[in-house]
Amino acid sequence: MQGVGCARLHAVQLMPNGAHALIRTLVDAGITTCFTNPGTSEIHFVAALDSVPEMRAVLTLFEGVATGAADGYARMADAPGATLLHLGPGLGNGLANLHNARRARVPVVNIVGDHATYHGQHDPPLQSDIETAARNVSAWVRTSRKTEELARDALDAIGAALGPPGQVATLIVPADVSWQEGAESASPHEPAAPSAVSADTIEVIATALRDGRRTGILLGGHALRECGLLAAAQIAAATGTKLFAEVFPARLERGVGLPPVERLLYWPELAARQLQGLECLILVGAQMPVTFFAYPGERSSLVPSGCEVHELSPAASDVLRSLEALVEALDAATAAPALQPRSVPRPPKGRLTAEKVCQAIGVVLPEGAIVSDEAITSGAALPAATRGAPRHDWLTLTGGAIGQGLPVAVGAAIARPDRPVIALEADGSALYTIQSLWTMAREQLDVTVVIFNNRTYGILDVELQRLDGLRAGRNARSLLDLGNPNIEFVKLAGGLGVPSRRVDTAEQLTLALEQSIADPGPHLIEVVVPPIASPIPRSGSG
Amino acid sequence: MQGVGCARLHAVQLMPNGAHALIRTLVDAGITTCFTNPGTSEIHFVAALDSVPEMRAVLTLFEGVATGAADGYARMADAPGATLLHLGPGLGNGLANLHNARRARVPVVNIVGDHATYHGQHDPPLQSDIETAARNVSAWVRTSRKTEELARDALDAIGAALGPPGQVATLIVPADVSWQEGAESASPHEPAAPSAVSADTIEVIATALRDGRRTGILLGGHALRECGLLAAAQIAAATGTKLFAEVFPARLERGVGLPPVERLLYWPELAARQLQGLECLILVGAQMPVTFFAYPGERSSLVPSGCEVHELSPAASDVLRSLEALVEALDAATAAPALQPRSVPRPPKGRLTAEKVCQAIGVVLPEGAIVSDEAITSGAALPAATRGAPRHDWLTLTGGAIGQGLPVAVGAAIARPDRPVIALEADGSALYTIQSLWTMAREQLDVTVVIFNNRTYGILDVELQRLDGLRAGRNARSLLDLGNPNIEFVKLAGGLGVPSRRVDTAEQLTLALEQSIADPGPHLIEVVVPPIASPIPRSGSG
């Protein structure tokens, strides 16, 4: 992640034991929060916590909450998120949300406890190959072998996490490396600077933008933050190009006064229409657009045939400087970027549908809100309903591994206690990491959770409808059905300590949202809505 | 797993598409249940389900439930458990309970959907290195590359899972391998026979058993089933040796009329006392006993210094035949094994403690019960309270990755619908895979769940007390504390469709247990109990 304030990594002093040194090193490098569910192999870390009171350890009931919260924290704090996990199984439980963080290029440092260095050879029950599991998500993996090297290893992990680009770094810490004394200070290293984009690349892309073809600019990563958006919008204004955002941004700044961008849609038929007719596409911090899944007989790429593609700013480069250089090359510094005017949907009325819930969100969304969006199919109307809301941040399901939205809301609320967090959750996704609610209650986080309870895995329903040659039978349908029995989120929230209510009309919902947002601390609102109709055109390519 | 009825793997016929062939192959090889949470990459498997109605697909709300249920199913069905999982993140979510299955040598076949073979190169959001994550838990991993080879690959996976010993096999199935037509039949292979133990080994061990030293026999795996126990008890009776069971058996048959065995205890100080003074130890289907975790200055091994160790029956060998050969060598076939007489605790009264809950379980435990025991510290009194109960099976947390007990109960109940299942759950462990309750409700499984709610991670409390040099502060303590807010399991169960109640006295508990066991379908009983006192002797070695 770029623009990290805490990036200078300080030297650490001689410490009593490894665990203390590790925490001190993390804190001195700017990591002051870790999300955890510890076990016996981490007990020395736990015991050392009170000797470094700057470290806030946040308990989660399940590691998937911890890793998702570290991701959400990093997205909003612009500093690495950190976890403390219990051996291979603890890491395993956190893997899905680490996958999401990896895909989002979010810096996360995992500290994974392991058996003492001499204990694993006896093959005790919790022994497993942690490094192997870690590699699925981590660009950097190391097992610390000596207490004297633990501080250095921790600084290396932080450096790796910061990148650029941001990535997941996993440091495995055997119990004896934690408990032994004699930890030593480590020399700090300057964070790596993002690479500069060559003048040639800038010139080639400036030329492409000037030549009058139908051109789109696809923004991703840090290009979706204010400075990047403003530069991109000047380029768009000066050259008549259209701005798009990647389908699932880690953090999109949007709302009144910011340049609006059209997010690519999830469904390949719809995304293909958005890009239809483009003769040139410029990637800025975004990957080549591709369908989420493959379909028989269909292309994976979403780039129209014959469309020329340029990459302005690859992952490890400085997106903002690249955009500024392009503004300069195009002489666009005085161009007036298009900015989003205020617009609010009409307050919805009557019996609830998913679309009306989205409109109600648009009506109430407060200034400075952080939205964690995992509403999946029920959230189709959210971008339109909220685009003219006061300025806010939009965090999405970056890697497609569901169960991310509630944990990300936990982390975002801890990173930014000054801002209201709204978590928009599909029922199926919420149930993956429902334990998040308890951490919201314990930490009294200012999160309003809205559960879109459509009692189905809606996305699979659409996919099953595609397979029209195979008429789905009872067994197949039962695997998409979240009714029988119906899940009552009001009870689940109550059991986990979060005040909750279910609303049945749009008017009740708007009122409940306003009250929840006004009242600090966590709240959950459950709405039961019908599944949306399939958005795939019947005559479409699927 | 040995003694599997479905072990002969039949040839499959020409099939319309890969998904259909895969399901047909699984069913023909005796895998008729799979636990799943599918996604788009598995949609062709889902769509094909109704064309092979012998396959029962059980929906879980989270993959950790699916993998734990497959483990519980396999333990009770004596056939491989199967899962259908969604790419790397779905496998990741299931990793912890696959770890438990691996440690228990339970045969599990995972089918993991992946992107189409040509799609991964585009690096779509859900792309990850599935094989790497799978290796953490799987002895066998393969990605099926061609529809024509899918049936053969599935048979290889089943063969690998069956072992011996039983193990986890993971078959990764790209979406296009599922959806393409042209699947071909595969030649069945005979399951591998367990290896025979040499006559020399038998003779060496028989000699050791005859020589009059203080000897123990540590039983594990299939030695803890009826035939193994009876043979071991004859050997014990003939030679004056003592029988022990491994600390966490996958499945221990016990109760009235079966030979009683003393399970090793979790805490190293207590386990060391159990084995104290032994001059010879015979391992029968069990690993060398070792502490769960290492402690500063303590040995990892639990075998007394100078104690001679013999292994009668390594993992891949036929435990039962080895024991029978040893019975013969010792001329012990006519020895009368010690058998457990009926004994029931006195019905507990008054305010509940963890020990009284264990006694109440002992009072009500019905004939043929299957107990899934993840009560952790609160269950310390269970072995004594239930040893004289009617014959039953006891399934434990084999790999130490918590969150196993409720899923195992799901799988056991589906494998044996004729028998009542009792799930004894610690609060912290239950919360890892609480979604299990919904599958119990949907499938109307005959499971009585008892939540020992002591509002703490009790095991960590004991560990923190060990570190007396470091007085635990507020931050450290908060990471063990499951109060603030208190978790209400009655509401959680209600939200997931399981009838539930909380009881406050021992009399109410006994009544509630009797009623729940008598009434088919799932029930949850919550008891709030104080944490147990530390079982570690103050003058102990910790």
Side-chain angles (χ1 to χ4, degrees):
Chain A
M1 196 169 274
Q2 297 162 354
V4 175
C6 65
R8 178 176 271 273
L9 308 177
H10 304 284
V12 296
Q13 306 301 313
L14 198 73
M15 307 297 175
N17 76 4
H20 180 95
L22 175 57
I23 301 174
R24 185 81 255 166
T25 304
L26 294 171
V27 162
D28 287 348
I31 296 184
T32 54
T33 304
C34 81
F35 300 91
T36 184
N37 188 286
T40 298
S41 40
E42 296 75 51
I43 198 74
H44 293 269
F45 187 105
V46 171
L49 273 173
D50 290 274
S51 66
V52 189
E54 302 95 314
M55 176 61 84
R56 177 179 184 183
V58 177
L59 180 60
T60 64
L61 299 178
F62 180 70
E63 290 87 352
V65 180
T67 54
D71 180 359
Y73 178 91
R75 293 190 196 189
M76 292 311 304
D78 276 336
T83 67
L84 174 66
L85 306 172
H86 185 48
L87 299 107
L91 175 65
N93 285 332
L95 225 49
N97 274 332
L98 291 171
H99 169 85
N100 289 321
R102 172 174 78 86
R103 298 301 312 198
R105 294 184 178 135
V106 170
V108 172
V109 174
N110 299 307
I111 309 292
V112 182
D114 193 6
H115 287 305
T117 48
Y118 56 84
H119 193 59
Q121 64 186 311
H122 298 281
D123 198 24
L126 271 163
Q127 178 67 20
S128 78
D129 181 355
I130 305 176
E131 290 194 0
T132 285
R135 283 202 187 89
N136 179 261
V137 289
S138 316
W140 184 100
V141 179
R142 185 183 297 166
T143 299
S144 198
R145 295 282 169 207
K146 291 183 179 169
T147 302
E148 308 87 72
E149 293 168 5
L150 183 53
R152 186 208 65 191
D153 290 336
L155 290 174
D156 287 352
I158 297 166
L162 286 170
Q167 52 195 15
V168 177
T170 300
L171 177 63
I172 300 164
V173 182
D176 53 341
V177 173
S178 272
W179 80 51
Q180 280 165 12
E181 302 190 354
E184 290 172 12
S185 62
S187 298
H189 30 78
E190 287 290 324
S195 58
V197 171
S198 74
D200 280 358
T201 300
I202 300 290
E203 192 43 46
V204 166
I205 293 176
T207 304
L209 281 163
R210 280 195 210 100
D211 76 357
R213 285 177 301 174
R214 293 178 67 176
T215 299
I217 300 178
L218 179 58
L219 305 171
H222 279 257
L224 296 173
R225 309 283 278 274
E226 180 175 15
C227 298
L229 289 169
L230 285 170
Q234 287 189 308
I235 294 164
T239 60
T241 49
K242 182 162 184 183
L243 299 182
F244 296 95
E246 59 189 345
V247 58
F248 289 123
R251 178 176 170 190
L252 168 62
E253 296 192 282
R254 66 196 289 268
V256 173
L258 286 170
V261 286
E262 181 178 319
R263 262 174 69 196
L264 287 189
L265 294 166
Y266 170 85
W267 299 104
E269 296 86 344
L270 307 188
R273 281 192 193 172
Q274 290 176 285
L275 299 178
Q276 203 168 11
L278 285 187
E279 296 163 293
C280 180
L281 180 67
I282 317 290
L283 304 176
V284 184
Q287 276 187 257
M288 191 82 85
V290 58
T291 64
F292 224 76
F293 293 100
Y295 297 91
E298 299 298 322
R299 294 171 66 222
S300 293
S301 173
L302 289 167
V303 179
S305 296
C307 176
E308 187 180 292
V309 179
H310 295 279
E311 184 165 30
L312 173 65
S313 200
S317 68
D318 187 328
V319 173
L320 190 56
R321 274 176 53 203
S322 306
L323 280 168
E324 283 165 354
L326 190 57
V327 167
E328 197 174 324
L330 289 165
D331 220 2
T334 56
L339 300 178
Q340 176 66 47
R342 172 98 177 121
S343 79
V344 176
R346 291 220 293 210
K349 293 184 177 170
R351 201 186 169 80
L352 281 168
T353 62
E355 191 174 3
K356 287 186 198 173
V357 179
C358 297
Q359 288 161 353
I361 303 293
V363 170
V364 304
L365 203 66
E367 177 79 29
I370 300 165
V371 178
S372 176
D373 172 11
E374 195 179 31
I376 318 282
T377 55
S378 291
L382 281 169
T386 58
R387 72 175 146 223
R391 185 174 161 151
H392 58 273
D393 285 273
W394 203 272
L395 317 181
T396 77
L397 177 56
T398 45
I402 61 172
Q404 185 204 36
L406 293 176
V408 158
V410 165
I414 286 177
R416 298 304 304 263
D418 54 322
R419 295 175 56 178
V421 176
I422 322 281
L424 306 175
E425 278 291 320
D427 50 343
S429 300
L431 286 160
Y432 263 59
T433 45
I434 194 72
Q435 303 93 336
S436 307
L437 297 176
W438 183 82
T439 299
M440 291 181 193
R442 163 167 285 197
E443 304 288 336
Q444 280 299 295
L445 304 179
D446 191 13
V447 182
T448 297
V449 177
V450 179
I451 303 285
F452 292 72
N453 189 355
N454 65 7
R455 296 177 177 161
T456 186
Y457 288 115
I459 212 161
L460 295 185
D461 211 35
V462 174
E463 296 293 359
L464 207 55
Q465 286 177 47
R466 263 185 215 273
L467 306 178
D468 47 8
L470 293 155
R471 267 196 230 131
R474 206 176 63 87
N475 291 345
R477 294 234 152 264
S478 76
L479 296 186
L480 322 187
D481 171 24
L482 289 173
N484 179 29
N486 288 331
I487 294 156
E488 298 183 51
F489 284 88
V490 168
K491 288 185 183 169
L492 292 177
L496 295 167
V498 169
S500 56
R501 63 182 127 176
R502 178 175 152 183
V503 295
D504 295 313
T505 68
E507 291 85 349
Q508 287 171 5
L509 172 61
T510 305
L511 186 65
L513 283 167
E514 286 168 346
Q515 289 173 343
S516 298
I517 291 167
D519 183 31
H523 297 272
L524 180 141
I525 302 168
E526 178 181 5
V527 293
V528 176
V529 291
I532 61 163
S534 169
I536 310 300
R538 282 195 175 263
S539 56
S541 53
Chain B
M1 196 169 272
Q2 298 162 354
V4 174
C6 66
R8 178 176 272 272
L9 309 175
H10 303 285
V12 295
Q13 304 303 311
L14 198 73
M15 306 299 173
N17 74 6
H20 180 95
L22 174 57
I23 302 173
R24 185 81 255 165
T25 303
L26 293 171
V27 162
D28 287 349
I31 296 185
T32 54
T33 303
C34 81
F35 300 90
T36 184
N37 188 286
T40 299
S41 40
E42 296 76 51
I43 198 73
H44 292 269
F45 188 105
V46 171
L49 273 171
D50 290 274
S51 67
V52 189
E54 303 95 314
M55 176 60 83
R56 177 180 184 183
V58 177
L59 180 61
T60 65
L61 298 179
F62 180 70
E63 289 89 351
V65 180
T67 54
D71 180 358
Y73 178 92
R75 293 189 197 190
M76 292 311 304
D78 277 337
T83 67
L84 174 67
L85 306 173
H86 184 48
L87 300 104
L91 175 65
N93 286 331
L95 224 51
N97 274 332
L98 291 171
H99 168 86
N100 289 322
R102 173 174 78 87
R103 298 300 314 198
R105 295 182 178 137
V106 169
V108 173
V109 175
N110 300 307
I111 308 293
V112 182
D114 193 7
H115 286 305
T117 48
Y118 56 84
H119 193 59
Q121 64 185 311
H122 298 282
D123 197 25
L126 271 163
Q127 179 68 18
S128 78
D129 181 355
I130 305 177
E131 289 194 1
T132 284
R135 282 201 189 90
N136 179 262
V137 290
S138 315
W140 185 99
V141 179
R142 184 183 297 167
T143 300
S144 199
R145 295 281 168 207
K146 290 183 181 168
T147 303
E148 308 87 72
E149 293 168 5
L150 183 53
R152 186 208 65 192
D153 289 335
L155 290 173
D156 287 352
I158 296 167
L162 287 169
Q167 52 195 15
V168 177
T170 300
L171 178 62
I172 300 163
V173 183
D176 53 341
V177 173
S178 271
W179 81 50
Q180 278 165 12
E181 302 192 354
E184 289 175 10
S185 63
S187 298
H189 31 77
E190 286 291 323
S195 59
V197 171
S198 75
D200 279 359
T201 300
I202 300 290
E203 192 43 45
V204 166
I205 292 176
T207 304
L209 280 163
R210 282 196 209 98
D211 76 0
R213 287 177 299 173
R214 292 177 67 176
T215 299
I217 300 178
L218 179 58
L219 305 170
H222 278 257
L224 296 172
R225 309 283 278 273
E226 179 175 16
C227 298
L229 288 168
L230 285 169
Q234 287 189 309
I235 294 164
T239 61
T241 48
K242 183 161 183 183
L243 299 182
F244 296 95
E246 59 189 344
V247 57
F248 290 122
R251 179 176 170 189
L252 168 62
E253 295 193 282
R254 65 197 289 268
V256 174
L258 287 170
V261 285
E262 181 179 319
R263 262 173 69 194
L264 287 189
L265 294 166
Y266 171 84
W267 300 105
E269 296 86 343
L270 308 186
R273 282 193 192 172
Q274 289 175 287
L275 300 178
Q276 203 167 11
L278 284 188
E279 296 163 293
C280 180
L281 180 66
I282 316 291
L283 304 177
V284 185
Q287 275 187 257
M288 190 82 84
V290 59
T291 63
F292 224 76
F293 293 100
Y295 298 92
E298 300 297 324
R299 295 171 65 221
S300 294
S301 174
L302 289 167
V303 179
S305 296
C307 176
E308 187 179 294
V309 179
H310 296 278
E311 184 165 31
L312 173 65
S313 199
S317 69
D318 188 326
V319 174
L320 190 57
R321 274 176 53 203
S322 305
L323 280 167
E324 284 165 353
L326 190 58
V327 167
E328 198 174 323
L330 289 165
D331 221 1
T334 57
L339 299 179
Q340 176 65 48
R342 172 95 176 123
S343 79
V344 177
R346 289 221 294 210
K349 293 184 178 170
R351 199 185 168 82
L352 282 168
T353 62
E355 190 173 4
K356 288 186 197 173
V357 179
C358 297
Q359 288 161 352
I361 303 292
V363 170
V364 304
L365 203 66
E367 177 79 29
I370 301 165
V371 178
S372 176
D373 172 10
E374 196 180 30
I376 319 281
T377 56
S378 291
L382 281 168
T386 57
R387 72 176 146 223
R391 183 175 164 152
H392 58 272
D393 284 272
W394 203 272
L395 317 182
T396 77
L397 177 56
T398 45
I402 61 173
Q404 185 204 36
L406 293 176
V408 158
V410 165
I414 287 177
R416 297 304 303 264
D418 53 322
R419 295 175 58 178
V421 177
I422 322 281
L424 306 175
E425 277 291 320
D427 50 343
S429 300
L431 286 160
Y432 263 60
T433 44
I434 193 70
Q435 303 92 335
S436 307
L437 297 176
W438 183 82
T439 299
M440 292 180 192
R442 164 168 283 199
E443 303 289 336
Q444 279 299 295
L445 304 180
D446 191 13
V447 182
T448 296
V449 177
V450 179
I451 304 286
F452 292 72
N453 188 355
N454 66 6
R455 297 177 176 160
T456 186
Y457 287 116
I459 211 160
L460 295 185
D461 212 34
V462 175
E463 296 293 358
L464 207 56
Q465 286 176 47
R466 262 184 216 273
L467 305 179
D468 47 9
L470 294 155
R471 265 196 233 128
R474 206 176 62 88
N475 290 346
R477 293 233 154 266
S478 76
L479 296 187
L480 321 185
D481 171 24
L482 288 174
N484 179 29
N486 289 331
I487 293 156
E488 298 182 52
F489 285 87
V490 168
K491 288 185 184 170
L492 292 177
L496 294 167
V498 169
S500 56
R501 62 182 130 177
R502 179 175 151 183
V503 295
D504 296 313
T505 69
E507 292 86 347
Q508 286 170 5
L509 173 61
T510 306
L511 186 65
L513 284 166
E514 287 169 346
Q515 289 172 344
S516 296
I517 291 167
D519 183 31
H523 296 273
L524 181 141
I525 302 168
E526 178 181 6
V527 293
V528 176
V529 291
I532 63 163
S534 171
I536 310 300
R538 280 195 176 265
S539 56
S541 53

